[in-house]
Amino acid sequence: MLNQDKIKELEIFALKIKIETIKQIGNLGFGHVGGAMSIIDTLAVLYGAAMNIDPNNPGWEDRDWLVCSKGHAGPALYSALALKGYFPIEELETLNRPGTNLPSHCDRNKTIGVDMTTGSLGQGASLAVGIALGNRMDGRDSYTYLILGDGELQEGQVWESVLLAAHEKLDKLIAFVDYNKQQLDGYVKDINDLGDIKAKFESFNWHAQEVDGHNIKQIYEAIANAKKVKGRPSVIVLHTIKGKDCSFAEGIVNNHHMTVSREQMNEALAVLEEKLNKAVRA
């Protein structure tokens, strides 16, 4: 269980990730704002409390792994990694520029701390299953965490992976579905309705939970509950808001990939920095 001091610490960490993510995209002038912002609270819990990692030894073989299958959310992951000390925070200014180590989608061959290259939606699920199975075969006790987009669940490859993970009883695999109800060009329910995501995973013999994806305590406790499950993989359906806490993106339909003006960036940063200052003083 998290005490109040730890919850506050993680909420501050999440705000810092949000600030750095908006800086990256705003300085570039465009990017995947919506789906990056919606997973930041989960990233804060993972990198701030749940994962067994060592930023000073990113290739540590016994570490926990993260596969961000929705690779376009890379800027949020880069912010978390930089704030944890995997690489200098100044490198965030190079997002998606010539010669950068921070491409628009995650690339393990470029970015220190990124465990798997992703972005072709659906493929990250297969990769995570392979990692979890490989680590078990090697006798490691590490967890593999997988972040999926809700629109991504329309990919058949995801469900092939879900089926195999259950068959192999991969209880060291914990998946998250970023259920922000929007995809690239509209609302998920209007494009290809997913129905009851939790029930679908349960029908594939996964342990499934649903939480508020912006509630630090609920996210952490869901992970702790998943770790108690034996003989089955786990999924946590995160009810999130696309563009969460970004003043120019939250509540907008077309916020998957946006142009961002300097004025919009500064406005969003002012709001978040005020929230951060209040959180620090509280």
Side-chain angles (χ1 to χ4, degrees):
M1 298 289 289
L2 292 178
N3 60 36
Q4 284 303 121
D5 288 342
K6 188 62 177 181
I7 291 173
K8 177 182 175 180
E9 176 189 320
L10 294 176
E11 288 174 344
I12 289 172
F13 185 33
L15 285 167
K16 289 179 178 180
I17 297 172
K18 291 171 186 179
I19 288 169
E20 295 303 329
T21 300
I22 290 175
K23 282 182 183 178
Q24 285 181 79
I25 297 172
N27 285 325
L28 183 63
F30 58 87
H32 291 94
V33 178
M37 299 301 290
S38 56
I39 66 164
I40 287 176
D41 295 297
T42 296
L43 290 173
V45 174
L46 287 171
Y47 282 93
M51 290 179 68
N52 189 20
I53 53 173
D54 182 0
N56 294 315
N57 184 13
W60 177 37
E61 291 186 348
D62 290 324
R63 72 188 185 280
D64 289 341
W65 289 58
L66 175 72
V67 179
C68 184
S69 188
K70 44 175 287 179
H72 53 276
L77 177 57
Y78 304 153
S79 296
L81 292 172
L83 288 164
K84 289 298 291 184
Y86 280 86
F87 53 84
I89 202 162
E90 292 77 17
E91 284 191 28
L92 296 177
E93 299 173 9
T94 71
L95 174 71
N96 209 22
R97 298 179 188 274
T100 186
N101 289 318
L102 306 177
S104 62
H105 290 63
C106 300
D107 188 336
R108 66 182 295 273
N109 294 310
K110 289 184 174 292
T111 311
I112 296 172
V114 169
D115 290 315
M116 186 50 63
T117 303
T118 55
S120 297
L121 296 181
Q123 295 184 6
S126 297
L127 295 167
V129 170
I131 292 166
L133 185 58
N135 280 335
R136 187 175 71 183
M137 291 172 68
D138 288 340
R140 297 194 176 95
D141 199 36
S142 55
Y143 281 88
T144 302
Y145 296 94
L146 166 66
I147 298 178
L148 296 161
D150 48 7
E152 184 175 10
L153 295 189
Q154 296 161 0
E155 299 280 354
Q157 184 170 349
V158 171
W159 298 103
E160 294 176 14
S161 306
V162 169
L163 185 65
L164 180 60
H167 175 76
E168 293 291 343
K169 299 179 173 56
L170 296 178
D171 50 17
K172 297 290 186 180
L173 174 62
I174 301 175
F176 301 88
V177 176
D178 180 21
Y179 193 25
N180 59 42
K181 288 83 173 177
Q182 293 177 237
Q183 57 191 97
L184 187 151
D185 49 1
Y187 292 103
V188 174
K189 65 181 176 60
D190 297 328
I191 295 168
N192 193 5
D193 195 2
L194 298 170
D196 189 333
I197 298 173
K198 179 174 178 286
K200 279 186 169 63
F201 274 89
E202 287 174 335
S203 73
F204 280 75
N205 200 29
W206 281 53
H207 176 257
Q209 305 171 78
E210 289 185 278
V211 301
D212 177 350
H214 301 302
N215 184 302
I216 295 292
K217 184 172 183 286
Q218 287 187 26
I219 297 167
Y220 180 86
E221 289 180 353
I223 294 170
N225 289 336
K227 288 182 175 181
K228 296 174 185 175
V229 174
K230 303 303 177 185
R232 288 195 292 166
S234 289
V235 64
I236 300 167
V237 180
L238 304 162
H239 287 274
T240 59
I241 298 170
K242 197 161 187 174
K244 174 68 174 174
D245 286 337
C246 180
S247 60
F248 60 84
E250 183 175 342
I252 304 299
V253 175
N254 297 315
N255 63 3
H256 183 81
H257 186 281
M258 305 174 68
T259 56
V260 181
S261 69
R262 185 68 56 169
E263 292 74 20
Q264 287 175 315
M265 178 186 73
N266 289 337
E267 174 190 326
L269 290 176
V271 173
L272 284 169
E273 285 166 357
E274 182 178 357
K275 286 184 178 181
L276 177 60
N277 289 333
K278 286 182 179 178
V280 170
R281 293 195 301 266

